[in-house]
């Protein structure tokens, strides 16, 4: 299956997302902040990235923008997964290059369906 990079500073969310993805046969890579997420994505070239927004240092919007504007990583779809559920946040996330925007708490079937859609192109 696919290699998915999770970028989230919450150990609880990281655990939940990892469990859902591994249950469906995906390999999981992890980063605890935006800067590490960008570096790991450049190094490992995952099939997709699940990106939190609120993190110390480089936030998810900034990290998403870096990944989607960089020629080496622009092909990697980024799905924002966050508690920020305002319409302005969703619009801004898409403007940064995110392929989709999901709000926590996230249902497993929603996550997998969205992931399958972006992986299919």
């Amino acid at each position: 299956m696919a290699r998915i990079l999770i970028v989230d500073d919450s150990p609880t969310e990281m655990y939940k997302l990892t469990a859902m993805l591994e249950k469906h046969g995906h390999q999981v890579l992890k980063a605890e902040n935006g800067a590490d997420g960008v570096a790991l994505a450049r190094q490992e070239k995952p099939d997709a990235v699940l990106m939190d927004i609120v993190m110390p240092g480089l936030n998810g919007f900034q990290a998403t923008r870096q990944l989607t504007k960089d020629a080496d990583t622009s092909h990697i779809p980024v799905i924002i997964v966050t508690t920020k559920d305002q319409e302005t946040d969703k619009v801004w996330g898409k403007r940064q290059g995110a392929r989709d925007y999901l709000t926590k708490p996230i249902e497993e079937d929603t996550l997998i369906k969205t992931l399958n859609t972006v992986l299919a192109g």
Side-chain angles (χ1 to χ4, degrees), residues 3 7 9 17 32-33 40-41 59 64-65 67 69 74 85 89 92 101 103 105 108-109 111:
R3 294 171 67 224
V7 185
D9 62 332
L17 292 169
E32 294 177 2
N33 60 60
L40 196 57
N59 72 38
T64 297
R65 185 168 54 244
L67 289 174
K69 303 294 184 238
S74 62
D85 63 354
D89 295 320
W92 187 243
Y101 192 107
T103 307
E108 183 174 331
D109 57 339
L111 175 66

Side-chain angles (χ1 to χ4, degrees), residues 51-92:
M51 181 75 71
D52 187 26
I53 297 299
V54 183
M55 296 181 285
L58 195 69
N59 72 38
F61 288 136
Q62 295 165 320
T64 297
R65 185 168 54 244
Q66 284 190 19
L67 289 174
T68 58
K69 303 294 184 238
D70 184 327
D72 287 339
T73 54
S74 62
H75 67 283
I76 303 169
V78 176
I79 301 169
I80 291 177
V81 182
T82 183
T83 54
K84 294 174 73 67
D85 63 354
Q86 298 297 308
E87 193 58 35
T88 52
D89 295 320
K90 294 176 184 176
V91 169
W92 187 243

